[in-house]
Protein backbone atom coordinates (compact mmCIF):
# COMPACT_ATOMS: atom_id res chain seq x y z
CA UNK A 1 0.00 0.00 0.00
CA UNK A 2 1.26 3.44 -0.96
CA UNK A 3 0.05 6.71 0.48
CA UNK A 4 -1.03 7.91 -2.97
CA UNK A 5 -3.46 4.98 -3.19
CA UNK A 6 -5.10 6.09 0.04
CA UNK A 7 -5.62 9.48 -1.61
CA UNK A 8 -7.30 7.70 -4.54
CA UNK A 9 -9.49 5.69 -2.17
CA UNK A 10 -10.52 8.84 -0.34
CA UNK A 11 -11.45 10.49 -3.64
CA UNK A 12 -13.53 7.48 -4.70
CA UNK A 13 -15.36 7.15 -1.39
CA UNK A 14 -16.27 10.84 -1.56
CA UNK A 15 -17.57 10.76 -5.13
CA UNK A 16 -19.76 7.65 -4.84
CA UNK A 17 -21.21 5.18 -2.36
CA UNK A 18 -19.22 1.97 -2.70
CA UNK A 19 -21.49 -1.00 -1.93
CA UNK A 20 -20.85 -3.29 1.04
CA UNK A 21 -19.57 -5.63 2.25
CA UNK A 22 -16.13 -4.40 1.28
CA UNK A 23 -13.37 -7.00 0.85
CA UNK A 24 -9.72 -5.99 0.66
CA UNK A 25 -7.41 -8.65 -0.76
CA UNK A 26 -3.74 -8.22 0.07
CA UNK A 27 -4.62 -6.64 3.41
CA UNK A 28 -1.52 -7.83 5.31
CA UNK A 29 0.28 -4.70 6.55
CA UNK A 30 3.90 -5.35 5.69
CA UNK A 31 6.86 -3.43 7.16
CA UNK A 32 6.99 0.07 5.74
CA UNK A 33 3.18 0.38 5.65
CA UNK A 34 2.15 0.27 9.28
CA UNK A 35 2.59 4.00 9.78
CA UNK A 36 -0.09 4.65 7.13
CA UNK A 37 -3.81 4.86 7.83
CA UNK A 38 -5.56 1.52 7.42
CA UNK A 39 -7.82 0.95 4.41
CA UNK A 40 -10.60 -0.15 6.76
CA UNK A 41 -10.61 3.34 8.27
CA UNK A 42 -12.31 4.57 5.08
CA UNK A 43 -15.23 2.20 5.71
CA UNK A 44 -15.92 2.68 9.42
CA UNK A 45 -19.69 2.49 8.89
CA UNK A 46 -19.64 -0.47 6.50
CA UNK A 47 -18.89 -4.17 6.80
CA UNK A 48 -15.20 -4.57 5.96
CA UNK A 49 -13.16 -7.77 5.64
CA UNK A 50 -9.38 -7.77 5.23
CA UNK A 51 -8.08 -10.88 3.44
CA UNK A 52 -4.68 -12.32 2.65
CA UNK A 53 -2.88 -15.65 2.26
CA UNK A 54 -1.81 -15.56 5.91
CA UNK A 55 -3.07 -14.14 9.16
CA UNK A 56 -1.36 -11.06 10.52
CA UNK A 57 -1.79 -7.30 10.92
CA UNK A 58 -4.84 -6.11 9.00
CA UNK A 59 -6.10 -9.61 8.12
CA UNK A 60 -9.53 -10.92 9.18
CA UNK A 61 -9.75 -13.94 6.88
CA UNK A 62 -7.29 -16.15 5.03
CA UNK A 63 -8.42 -16.33 1.40
CA UNK A 64 -6.82 -17.52 -1.84
CA UNK A 65 -7.86 -15.38 -4.80
CA UNK A 66 -7.61 -18.42 -7.06
CA UNK A 67 -10.42 -20.17 -5.11
CA UNK A 68 -12.36 -17.87 -2.80
CA UNK A 69 -14.34 -19.44 0.02
CA UNK A 70 -17.04 -16.79 -0.44
CA UNK A 71 -20.61 -17.37 -1.72
CA UNK A 72 -21.66 -16.25 -5.19
CA UNK A 73 -23.03 -12.71 -5.42
CA UNK A 74 -22.29 -11.76 -1.82
CA UNK A 75 -19.63 -9.01 -2.03
CA UNK A 76 -20.27 -5.33 -2.73
CA UNK A 77 -16.77 -3.94 -3.33
CA UNK A 78 -13.41 -5.62 -3.91
CA UNK A 79 -10.16 -3.71 -3.30
CA UNK A 80 -6.90 -4.93 -4.85
CA UNK A 81 -4.27 -2.33 -4.04
CA UNK A 82 -0.88 -3.33 -5.48
CA UNK A 83 -1.85 -6.98 -5.06
CA UNK A 84 -2.65 -8.41 -8.49
CA UNK A 85 1.04 -8.54 -9.49
CA UNK A 86 1.53 -11.04 -6.64
CA UNK A 87 -1.22 -13.38 -7.91
CA UNK A 88 0.08 -16.33 -9.93
CA UNK A 89 -3.00 -16.55 -12.23
CA UNK A 90 -4.63 -13.09 -12.25
CA UNK A 91 -7.24 -14.06 -14.89
CA UNK A 92 -8.44 -16.80 -12.52
CA UNK A 93 -8.54 -14.32 -9.63
CA UNK A 94 -10.67 -11.88 -11.64
CA UNK A 95 -13.05 -14.72 -12.58
CA UNK A 96 -13.44 -15.50 -8.87
CA UNK A 97 -14.00 -11.83 -8.07
CA UNK A 98 -16.67 -11.64 -10.76
CA UNK A 99 -18.36 -14.69 -9.24
CA UNK A 100 -18.51 -13.33 -5.70
CA UNK A 101 -19.53 -9.75 -6.61
CA UNK A 102 -23.15 -8.73 -6.41
CA UNK A 103 -24.77 -7.23 -9.53
CA UNK A 104 -23.59 -3.63 -9.47
CA UNK A 105 -20.58 -4.59 -7.35
CA UNK A 106 -17.30 -2.78 -7.93
CA UNK A 107 -13.65 -3.83 -8.13
CA UNK A 108 -10.89 -1.24 -7.63
CA UNK A 109 -7.48 -2.49 -8.69
CA UNK A 110 -4.01 -0.95 -8.85
CA UNK A 111 -0.57 -2.28 -9.64
CA UNK A 112 2.96 -1.01 -9.95
CA UNK A 113 4.72 -1.00 -13.32
CA UNK A 114 8.18 0.54 -13.06
CA UNK A 115 9.11 -0.71 -9.59
CA UNK A 116 11.64 -3.11 -8.03
CA UNK A 117 10.69 -6.75 -7.56
CA UNK A 118 9.05 -7.14 -4.16
CA UNK A 119 7.96 -10.61 -3.08
CA UNK A 120 4.88 -10.87 -0.86
CA UNK A 121 5.22 -13.85 -1.12
CA UNK A 122 6.23 -13.59 -4.80
CA UNK A 123 6.12 -11.06 -7.64
CA UNK A 124 4.86 -12.37 -10.99
CA UNK A 125 3.53 -9.62 -13.22
CA UNK A 126 3.65 -6.05 -14.54
CA UNK A 127 0.48 -4.77 -16.25
CA UNK A 128 -0.31 -2.06 -18.79
CA UNK A 129 -3.71 -0.38 -19.12
CA UNK A 130 -4.46 -2.81 -21.98
CA UNK A 131 -3.75 -5.73 -19.65
CA UNK A 132 -6.20 -4.36 -17.07
CA UNK A 133 -8.87 -3.98 -19.74
CA UNK A 134 -8.26 -7.59 -20.73
CA UNK A 135 -8.63 -8.76 -17.14
CA UNK A 136 -11.87 -6.75 -16.98
CA UNK A 137 -13.39 -8.39 -20.10
CA UNK A 138 -16.23 -10.00 -18.10
CA UNK A 139 -16.90 -6.72 -16.27
CA UNK A 140 -18.08 -3.27 -17.27
CA UNK A 141 -14.89 -1.19 -17.38
CA UNK A 142 -15.52 2.13 -15.64
CA UNK A 143 -12.04 3.68 -15.74
CA UNK A 144 -8.47 2.61 -16.52
CA UNK A 145 -5.39 4.85 -16.42
CA UNK A 146 -1.61 4.71 -16.33
CA UNK A 147 0.29 7.22 -14.21
CA UNK A 148 3.74 8.68 -14.72
CA UNK A 149 5.89 8.76 -17.85
CA UNK A 150 3.77 7.65 -20.83
CA UNK A 151 6.05 4.79 -21.90
CA UNK A 152 7.36 3.98 -18.44
CA UNK A 153 4.47 4.50 -15.99
CA UNK A 154 4.88 3.87 -12.29
CA UNK A 155 1.25 2.81 -11.66
CA UNK A 156 -1.78 1.42 -13.47
CA UNK A 157 -5.25 1.77 -11.95
CA UNK A 158 -8.60 0.35 -12.97
CA UNK A 159 -12.19 0.37 -11.75
CA UNK A 160 -14.81 -2.03 -13.10
CA UNK A 161 -18.26 -3.24 -12.14
CA UNK A 162 -20.33 -6.39 -12.44
CA UNK A 163 -22.95 -5.10 -14.81
CA UNK A 164 -23.41 -1.43 -15.64
CA UNK A 165 -23.41 1.27 -12.98
CA UNK A 166 -25.71 4.26 -13.04
CA UNK A 167 -24.26 6.69 -15.62
CA UNK A 168 -23.77 9.44 -13.02
CA UNK A 169 -21.87 7.08 -10.70
CA UNK A 170 -19.67 5.74 -13.51
CA UNK A 171 -18.86 9.26 -14.71
CA UNK A 172 -18.01 10.41 -11.17
CA UNK A 173 -15.65 7.46 -10.68
CA UNK A 174 -13.90 8.09 -13.99
CA UNK A 175 -13.48 11.79 -13.19
CA UNK A 176 -11.97 10.92 -9.80
CA UNK A 177 -9.53 8.42 -11.32
CA UNK A 178 -8.42 10.79 -14.08
CA UNK A 179 -8.02 13.71 -11.67
CA UNK A 180 -5.97 11.53 -9.31
CA UNK A 181 -3.79 10.41 -12.22
CA UNK A 182 -2.89 14.02 -12.94
CA UNK A 183 -2.79 15.55 -9.46
CA UNK A 184 -2.68 12.82 -6.81
CA UNK A 185 -0.64 9.88 -8.07
CA UNK A 186 2.80 11.45 -7.58
CA UNK A 187 4.84 12.14 -4.47
CA UNK A 188 8.60 12.55 -4.10
CA UNK A 189 8.86 8.75 -4.29
CA UNK A 190 7.32 8.62 -7.77
CA UNK A 191 9.61 11.45 -8.84
CA UNK A 192 12.57 9.36 -7.69
CA UNK A 193 11.26 6.46 -9.78
CA UNK A 194 11.30 8.71 -12.85
CA UNK A 195 14.78 10.11 -12.26
CA UNK A 196 16.85 7.50 -10.42
CA UNK A 197 19.05 5.06 -12.38
CA UNK A 198 17.73 1.48 -11.96
CA UNK A 199 20.81 0.33 -10.05
CA UNK A 200 20.38 3.10 -7.47
CA UNK A 201 16.62 2.58 -7.34
CA UNK A 202 16.82 -1.14 -6.55
CA UNK A 203 19.40 -0.73 -3.80
CA UNK A 204 17.61 2.32 -2.42
CA UNK A 205 14.34 0.41 -2.20
CA UNK A 206 16.07 -2.43 -0.31
CA UNK A 207 17.60 0.03 2.17
CA UNK A 208 14.24 1.78 2.58
CA UNK A 209 12.46 -1.49 3.48
CA UNK A 210 15.16 -2.38 6.00
CA UNK A 211 14.98 1.06 7.59
CA UNK A 212 11.17 0.98 7.84
CA UNK A 213 11.26 -2.51 9.36
CA UNK A 214 13.68 -1.31 12.06
CA UNK A 215 11.55 1.78 12.66
CA UNK A 216 8.39 -0.33 13.07
CA UNK A 217 10.15 -2.59 15.54
CA UNK A 218 11.49 0.39 17.48
CA UNK A 219 7.98 1.82 17.81
CA UNK A 220 6.45 -1.59 18.59
CA UNK A 221 4.20 -1.59 15.53
CA UNK A 222 3.34 -5.28 15.64
CA UNK A 223 -0.37 -4.94 14.85
CA UNK A 224 -2.51 -2.87 12.52
CA UNK A 225 -3.72 0.48 13.81
Amino acid sequence: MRGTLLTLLGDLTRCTQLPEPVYEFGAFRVPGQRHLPAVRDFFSHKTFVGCDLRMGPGVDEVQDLHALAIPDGSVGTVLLFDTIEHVRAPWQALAEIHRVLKPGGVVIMTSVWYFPIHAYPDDYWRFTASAFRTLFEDFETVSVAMCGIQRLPHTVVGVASKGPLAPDAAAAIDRAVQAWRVHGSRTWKESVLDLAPPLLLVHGYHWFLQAMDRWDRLLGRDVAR
Side-chain angles (χ1 to χ4, degrees), residues 7-223:
T7 301
L8 171 63
L9 181 58
D11 293 344
L12 290 172
T13 55
R14 283 189 293 272
C15 79
T16 190
Q17 284 292 324
L18 296 173
E20 60 180 321
V22 179
Y23 276 69
E24 181 191 9
F25 295 98
F28 190 98
R29 291 168 68 83
V30 301
Q33 296 181 353
R34 296 175 191 174
H35 66 290
L36 295 171
V39 171
R40 68 178 66 241
D41 292 349
F42 291 80
F43 301 97
S44 58
H45 300 297
K46 294 185 177 182
T47 301
F48 182 94
V49 184
C51 304
D52 214 302
L53 284 173
R54 55 176 172 164
M55 291 301 298
V59 181
D60 304 305
E61 292 183 5
V62 173
Q63 292 280 358
D64 181 353
L65 274 165
H66 298 100
L68 295 173
I70 300 173
D72 295 0
S74 62
V75 175
T77 300
V78 167
L79 307 175
L80 289 166
F81 288 123
D82 291 358
T83 295
I84 197 65
E85 68 267 22
H86 303 289
V87 178
R88 177 178 48 79
W91 50 90
Q92 186 175 337
L94 268 294
E96 277 291 273
I97 289 168
H98 190 274
R99 176 183 67 79
V100 303
L101 277 177
K102 301 175 181 179
V106 174
V107 53
I108 302 169
M109 185 166 71
T110 71
S111 186
V112 296
W113 202 94
Y114 179 50
F115 199 80
I117 292 172
H118 53 298
Y120 295 120
D122 211 334
D123 192 348
Y124 297 99
W125 304 98
R126 293 294 181 268
F127 300 92
T128 61
S130 296
F132 266 31
R133 292 189 182 96
T134 299
L135 290 175
F136 286 157
E137 281 183 344
D138 291 334
F139 298 78
E140 297 283 335
T141 298
V142 178
S143 186
V144 174
M146 293 193 297
C147 311
I149 300 173
Q150 183 177 6
R151 293 189 179 275
L152 193 66
H154 55 74
T155 301
V156 60
V157 55
V159 182
S161 59
K162 184 176 180 177
L165 298 179
D168 288 350
I173 290 171
D174 184 51
R175 284 194 301 270
V177 169
Q178 300 304 329
W180 175 81
R181 177 183 63 83
V182 176
H183 301 294
S185 65
R186 179 182 296 275
T187 66
W188 66 269
K189 296 177 184 177
E190 285 72 31
S191 297
V192 168
L193 286 175
D194 290 346
L195 299 173
L199 186 62
L200 178 60
L201 174 63
V202 170
H203 287 291
Y205 180 66
H206 175 72
W207 295 332
F208 170 77
L209 289 181
Q210 286 191 328
M212 291 305 298
D213 184 49
R214 292 192 181 99
W215 184 246
D216 284 341
R217 292 175 185 276
L218 179 64
L219 297 182
R221 288 185 178 133
D222 295 326
V223 297

